[in-house]
Amino acid sequence: MFIHKNLDDFSSNKDTVVTIGTFDGVHVGHKKIIEQLVQNAQKSNKESLLLTFFPHPRMVLQKDMDIKLINTIEEKATLLEGLGLDHLIIHPFDKEFSRLTALDFVRNILVNKLHVSKLIIGYDHHFGKNREGSFEQLREYSELYGFEIEEIPAQDIDHISVSSTKIRKALEEGDIKRANDYLGYSFMLHGKVVKGEQIGSTIGYPTANIEISENYKLVPKNGVYVVQTFYKDQLYYGMMNIGKRPTVFGNHRTIEVHLFDFSDNIYGENLKIELLHYIREEKKFDTIDQLKLQLEKDKTNSKRFLFS
């Protein structure tokens, strides 16, 4: 897959089969669209192309800096690469771009720049200035400019429509099972190991403190999770606490991972952490000994989940 940093970075003489959207989460509904895209391109000897945007349009248009995204842009690119796409364009989204009319977008970008022969979009897709472009308008433009258009209906799991918004809500509620079912993979965090207060080491539960550089990345509900962690292509199981560590009077939110049967010094290293199961909410204990007893229970419960 070729990754292009903007529309001007893309150049090809071949016709394309295109889809457009933010694709936050690259969830099971998104995958259905992309599978259809790739199959269509391969059958017609054309190139599959996904056009997405960064920052998220809501961050620009609504100044919605509180929106947190399921994927960082790097995570999204990695997930999309595994789906067989030929091209991924990550175009910078700004106010100037948002002012493009639906007609200008179709004519100048889809037709003249991307050489679209077929456009595949998800259910209820809107585009262009003030989201004025509808499926009905696209149908009119497709006849005018000579490309095909196909709409994919809403993808359901157990009759519940999948959406990035519902996945974010599940993560914020600590419902990792529901979020992972909707995603079709385990929700992940990527971060660098930084020095903490090293309290865990004194009670037999050393932790790696994780710093996530992307402030727009969604961090799930506070609490204790069963996780699997990838370090230097090796898989390690463990448990993770997200929260303010009230027992030791913490004053800011941290992400701490305790890996089972692991003792390497990994300060400064980058870890990929996948969340598998929510064990319990974070709580304040009266003593460190009570905290240690609870951590022993958490470890037992984690291993029971992993290996039973």
Side-chain angles (χ1 to χ4, degrees), residues 53 59 63 74 78 128 131 136 140-141 146 161 226 250 295:
F53 308 101
M59 293 178 176
K63 297 296 183 186
E74 291 81 9
T78 299
R131 289 171 53 84
E136 288 70 27
E140 292 176 16
Y141 295 146
S161 180
V226 183
L295 291 174

Side-chain angles (χ1 to χ4, degrees), residues 56-67 94-95:
H56 193 289
R58 278 172 56 186
M59 293 178 176
V60 176
L61 300 178
Q62 302 173 21
K63 297 296 183 186
D64 190 357
M65 299 312 293
D66 289 335
I67 183 175
D94 55 23
K95 287 194 173 180

Side-chain angles (χ1 to χ4, degrees), residues 235-246:
L235 170 64
Y236 300 92
Y237 293 108
M239 56 191 190
M240 176 178 72
N241 185 78
I242 299 174
K244 293 189 175 182
R245 304 173 303 143

Side-chain angles (χ1 to χ4, degrees), residues 48-181:
S48 55
L49 186 152
L50 188 150
L51 172 60
T52 191
F53 308 101
F54 188 80
H56 193 289
R58 278 172 56 186
M59 293 178 176
V60 176
L61 300 178
Q62 302 173 21
K63 297 296 183 186
D64 190 357
M65 299 312 293
D66 289 335
I67 183 175
K68 298 298 181 183
L69 303 185
I70 300 163
N71 301 136
T72 66
I73 198 67
E74 291 81 9
E75 289 168 353
K76 183 192 292 186
T78 299
L79 289 164
L80 291 171
E81 189 164 19
L83 299 178
L85 284 166
D86 293 315
H87 298 277
L88 169 64
I89 301 175
I90 305 169
H91 189 75
F93 192 90
D94 55 23
K95 287 194 173 180
E96 181 182 355
F97 186 82
S98 75
R99 295 188 186 105
L100 274 177
T101 65
L103 176 59
D104 285 341
F105 181 81
V106 170
R107 180 181 57 207
N108 299 342
I109 293 176
L110 291 183
V111 176
N112 295 339
K113 182 67 182 172
L114 303 182
H115 311 298
V116 62
S117 68
K118 185 169 187 175
L119 178 65
I120 298 177
I121 55 172
Y123 171 77
D124 199 29
H125 180 82
H126 288 77
F127 67 101
K129 184 179 179 181
N130 298 324
R131 289 171 53 84
E132 66 186 10
S134 63
F135 183 76
E136 288 70 27
Q137 275 188 291
L138 278 173
R139 185 182 285 120
E140 292 176 16
Y141 295 146
S142 71
E143 293 172 1
L144 178 64
Y145 290 107
F147 62 89
E148 294 180 67
I149 182 168
E150 180 176 345
E151 184 181 43
I152 304 294
Q155 168 75 13
D156 290 342
I157 294 180
D158 296 331
H159 310 294
I160 302 172
S161 180
V162 178
S163 71
S164 300
T165 300
K166 288 180 179 177
I167 294 168
R168 291 186 201 111
K169 186 173 187 292
L171 291 167
E172 288 164 356
E173 293 173 351
D175 193 344
I176 289 298
K177 183 182 185 308
R178 181 158 56 103
N180 289 350
D181 284 346

Side-chain angles (χ1 to χ4, degrees), residues 277-291:
H277 179 64
Y278 185 81
I279 301 176
R280 63 172 176 86
E281 294 191 358
E282 185 179 50
K283 62 179 289 189
K284 185 179 188 303
F285 297 93
D286 293 332
T287 67
I288 293 294
D289 283 342
Q290 287 179 356
L291 171 62

